[in-house]
């Protein structure tokens, strides 16, 4: 299990702790991750898989939507189609994803069975985890995300304990990075001048924040058919 100290050290790395948006210099070129999920018309492509997520409260969804309103009003050419408000969530633990359903169908079926069994044996308790928004940051040239921090070490430990339930059968190749995805980038990229404008908009947005309460009673195993279409399969806490 990752320690709180090692997570806190993340604040000393890359752009996670800075209000200024760190991204490519010059014209912006999106990652292959964008090309896998978005087509040339900037609509979401079929993309299949499963995941575990915290569905957030409606007041948080409204605050996230207000941030998206500003981003799309002031820098519309930076992004693909907008994410639907009802999809707003914090991913706990990624599982499988692929452009072809046949590549993940067997794995997602196995995950569903495993998770049902694990939740019977380990029983995630109903509890709330206090988080706060940190900064809007670039995520590997694929999307803009709103990073989240635990309110304190106690809240971090609660989050890690739930995370470890999923880690028992599916180990991630990276550390838990709490965040809410705000927008995926434009398939075609955008100019340096536009990137500079986006940096200023993000810097201004990063001057304020708000609290987020994660509730394990709203923690779901989900399946998706693209990055804008998610289905709750079952809750993980009983």
């Amino acid at each position: 299990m990752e320690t709180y100290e090692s997570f806190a050290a993340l604040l000393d790395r890359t752009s996670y702790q800075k209000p200024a948006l760190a991204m490519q210099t010059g014209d912006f070129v999106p990652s292959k991750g964008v090309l896998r999920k978005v087509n040339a018309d900037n609509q979401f492509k079929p993309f299949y898989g499963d995941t575990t997520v915290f569905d957030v409260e409606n007041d948080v969804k409204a605050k996230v939507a207000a941030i998206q309103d500003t981003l799309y009003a002031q820098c519309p050419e930076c992004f693909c189609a907008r994410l639907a408000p009802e999809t707003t969530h914090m991913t706990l633990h990624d599982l499988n994803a692929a452009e072809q359903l046949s590549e993940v169908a067997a794995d997602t079926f196995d995950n569903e069975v495993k998770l049902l069994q694990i939740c019977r044996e380990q029983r995630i308790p109903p509890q709330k985890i206090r988080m706060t928004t940190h900064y809007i940051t670039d995520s590997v040239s694929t999307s803009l995300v709103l990073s989240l921090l635990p309110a304190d070490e106690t809240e971090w430990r609660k989050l890690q304990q739930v995370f470890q339930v999923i880690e028992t059968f599916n180990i991630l190749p990276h550390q838990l990075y709490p965040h809410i995805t705000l927008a995926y980038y434009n398939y075609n990229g955008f100019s340096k001048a536009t990137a500079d404008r986006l940096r200023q908009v993000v810097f201004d947005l990063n001057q304020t924040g708000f609290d987020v309460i994660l509730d394990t009673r709203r923690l779901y195993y989900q399946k998706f058919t693209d990055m804008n279409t998610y289905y709750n399969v079952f809750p993980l806490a009983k």
Side-chain angles (χ1 to χ4, degrees):
M1 179 187 297
E2 183 186 6
T3 65
Y4 181 69
E5 290 75 17
S6 65
F7 175 75
L10 179 64
L11 300 183
D12 295 324
R13 299 200 300 268
T14 64
S15 63
Y16 193 77
Q17 82 286 13
K18 299 177 182 178
L21 179 63
M23 59 190 305
Q24 301 170 17
T25 58
D27 293 346
F28 180 83
V29 178
S31 71
K32 292 181 180 178
V34 174
L35 308 187
R36 293 181 70 201
K37 299 170 182 176
V38 177
N39 64 26
D41 294 325
N42 276 307
Q43 300 301 308
F44 289 103
K45 294 165 57 175
F47 196 67
Y48 304 94
D50 58 349
T51 185
T52 57
V53 310
F54 284 97
D55 180 32
V56 296
E57 300 285 353
N58 288 337
D59 67 320
V60 173
K61 290 180 180 177
K63 291 172 181 175
V64 169
I67 293 172
Q68 293 167 321
D69 286 345
T70 299
L71 291 170
Y72 276 81
Q74 298 192 32
C75 303
E77 62 270 52
C78 292
F79 309 109
C80 72
R82 184 166 168 169
L83 293 167
E86 60 268 21
T87 70
T88 303
H89 64 266
M90 193 206 91
T91 300
L92 174 67
H93 195 297
D94 288 314
L95 294 170
N96 296 284
E99 294 173 74
Q100 300 297 322
L101 179 59
S102 59
E103 295 179 40
V104 294
D107 288 335
T108 58
F109 177 81
D110 288 344
N111 285 342
E112 185 173 348
V113 173
K114 290 174 183 176
L115 264 178
L116 281 170
Q117 182 62 35
I118 287 170
C119 289
R120 290 193 195 101
E121 295 172 351
Q122 300 196 31
R123 290 198 176 276
I124 297 172
Q127 62 179 329
K128 294 183 178 181
I129 304 170
R130 295 182 297 117
M131 309 286 287
T132 186
T133 61
H134 196 47
Y135 293 131
I136 297 169
T137 66
D138 168 76
S139 180
V140 294
S141 298
T142 297
S143 59
L144 274 187
V145 303
L146 179 61
S147 59
L148 303 178
L149 295 177
D152 54 36
E153 185 170 357
T154 297
E155 304 306 306
W156 171 250
R157 289 185 183 280
K158 289 194 290 188
L159 183 60
Q160 270 293 313
Q161 286 168 356
V162 180
F163 177 78
Q164 289 299 320
V165 171
I166 318 301
E167 280 279 281
T168 58
F169 77 94
N170 190 301
I171 298 176
L172 282 182
H174 55 78
Q175 296 175 330
L176 172 60
Y177 172 36
H179 68 274
I180 294 172
T181 301
L182 297 171
Y184 287 92
Y185 291 125
N186 188 315
Y187 177 97
N188 302 296
F190 42 89
S191 70
K192 177 184 181 301
T194 299
D196 291 341
R197 175 156 36 95
L198 177 61
R199 288 189 183 90
Q200 184 60 54
V201 171
V202 168
F203 181 83
D204 292 342
L205 287 168
N206 277 339
Q207 302 312 303
T208 59
F210 53 90
D211 293 334
V212 176
I213 303 297
L214 303 178
D215 191 332
T216 57
R217 290 170 295 187
R218 297 171 70 100
L219 175 61
Y220 293 97
Y221 172 62
Q222 289 187 338
K223 295 185 180 181
F224 52 86
T225 55
D226 61 52
M227 291 292 92
N228 213 12
T229 310
Y230 294 79
Y231 305 93
N232 290 340
V233 182
F234 54 80
L236 298 185
K238 303 293 185 181

